[in-house]
Amino acid sequence: MRNRFFHICFLLFGCTILFAQETEKLEIPEPMMFDLVRGLGAEQGELEINTLADFPLNNTSVRPIEWAPEIEYALFDGFAVELEFPFADGHFEAFKYAIQYTLGTSSNNKYIHGLQFIGETYVNGSITELSLLYIPAYRFNETWSALGLFGLMYEVGSDANLNKRTTVLLNATLFADIGHHSVLGLELNNSDPTLQLRDENTMVLLVLPQFHYEFDFGFSFQVGFGPRFIENETEYSGVLRVIQTF
């Protein structure tokens, strides 16, 4: 199964490089909890440093503050890489790395899509999580746009969950540009992308209304509040992401 997963990953990325379309920049916001490796259609040399923090609002005695600084860089047009360092409270949890390739845009420049590969290796225990996602995005008009991330996560290592190594990843976000610098969004996600290992591959639902604001000098922030439904329990979080682009 592991070899098959690797073969599928390399086959998909190999095909996209061979048959890729010319890409153009299409301005569509990024989800807050499950963000991209730069935006689709990123141009060579784009650099971003950001940090996401997830603050628990209930069950605080058993829920850590999850936060993750990361750096993203576009090596060439349409191809970007990322390094991320997830923490739980003050404890370093994992090395996370990702690559993203933009497949192309539609002739009317309203639709853009790409692929993302993510690896996350935990420092305490022998486990690595490998994810492959398809990313479609569409701009309906000057106000409304939407973006999705759809794929699979597969665990390898001696400490991997033997009963359920594969998890479906589903993320969809609807955006409304309400001003030149301001965006409202509603993000739905079926897993915990900040610390996947914590939920032991069980399916959850995150509903995250959010607000994005971008300043003229490359600094932006995103803030959101929402519930995550886990079996018979509901967790509430406040989420903050701060971003600097160069």
Side-chain angles (χ1 to χ4, degrees), residues 37-122:
V37 185
R38 294 299 298 146
L40 291 173
E43 298 175 352
Q44 183 178 18
E46 289 186 6
L47 174 65
E48 175 183 316
I49 299 173
N50 75 76
T51 299
L52 173 75
D54 184 338
F55 301 95
L57 300 179
N58 66 334
N59 300 330
T60 56
S61 61
V62 295
R63 295 177 57 199
I65 297 174
E66 298 172 7
W67 58 285
E70 61 185 76
I71 182 169
E72 304 169 2
Y73 184 72
L75 289 176
F76 53 86
D77 290 354
F79 184 88
V81 297
E82 172 186 298
L83 286 177
E84 182 178 338
F85 307 95
F87 286 79
D89 286 331
H91 304 288
F92 178 54
E93 294 289 319
F95 293 97
K96 193 172 183 179
Y97 33 91
I99 58 176
Q100 182 177 290
Y101 192 83
T102 303
L103 298 175
T105 56
S106 62
S107 59
N108 62 3
N109 202 35
K110 288 183 175 293
Y111 179 79
I112 188 169
H113 61 152
L115 291 173
Q116 187 180 112
F117 175 80
I118 306 171
E120 187 164 8
T121 301
Y122 290 86

Side-chain angles (χ1 to χ4, degrees), residues 34 38 66 88 102 118 125 130 134-135 153 161 173 232 237:
F34 208 141
R38 294 299 298 146
E66 298 172 7
T102 303
I118 306 171
L130 305 172
Y134 175 66
I135 313 167
M153 186 274 288
N161 189 334
T173 310
N232 297 321
S237 293

Side-chain angles (χ1 to χ4, degrees), residues 123-139:
V123 297
N124 297 314
S126 175
I127 182 170
T128 295
E129 294 170 344
L130 305 172
S131 302
L132 181 64
L133 301 113
Y134 175 66
I135 313 167
Y138 191 84
R139 176 157 288 283

